[in-house]
Amino acid sequence: MLACTRHLLEHLKKANPQPLLDWLKGRWADLKDLATTKISLEGLTLESQVSQYAKITANIRAEPTLRKKIREKINPYTESLTEAINTFIPDGKKKL
């Protein structure tokens, strides 16, 4: 789901990213301790915020133990991520 979200943000740059960025910001407190580098979302550009999705998904692929921890933290929020994606996609379709 996170990789899908990152790809949507990368390819639908003209769409309003706010639903997805709001979701990420809401989960960031749980996820930032799992990132291999210290990151803050405050004051970052859209491209920088999108790159945070990339860092998380890269960590998931690279480290099996980290993958499990990230999944444990993300799974309870799968429904809200799906809602954020479903809010984002219609705007992206309009911008294509």
Side-chain angles (χ1 to χ4, degrees):
M1 292 277 302
L2 291 174
C4 175
T5 301
R6 178 176 54 89
H7 288 293
L8 285 170
L9 285 167
E10 288 174 348
H11 295 289
L12 298 174
K13 292 183 179 184
K14 293 182 180 181
N16 177 10
Q18 208 55 54
L20 297 174
L21 297 178
D22 288 345
W23 183 89
L24 179 61
K25 286 179 185 177
R27 307 291 94 59
W28 196 245
D30 291 333
L31 295 174
K32 69 180 176 183
D33 60 320
L34 298 176
T36 56
T37 57
K38 295 297 178 195
I39 305 163
S40 172
L41 294 178
E42 299 307 313
L44 293 180
T45 65
L46 171 60
E47 289 77 17
S48 297
Q49 290 183 28
V50 170
S51 76
Q52 302 321 304
Y53 276 104
K55 288 181 184 182
I56 293 168
T57 56
N59 288 344
I60 288 171
R61 279 180 295 211
E63 306 230 3
T65 57
L66 189 58
R67 179 183 319 149
K68 182 178 178 190
K69 288 178 184 178
I70 290 173
R71 283 187 178 146
E72 287 172 358
K73 293 208 178 215
I74 292 292
N75 281 342
Y77 303 108
T78 301
E79 188 174 322
S80 63
L81 177 56
T82 302
E83 290 172 10
I85 290 171
N86 287 336
T87 302
F88 175 77
I89 289 174
D91 188 55
K93 281 182 171 181
K94 289 179 191 175
K95 304 289 176 29
L96 286 177

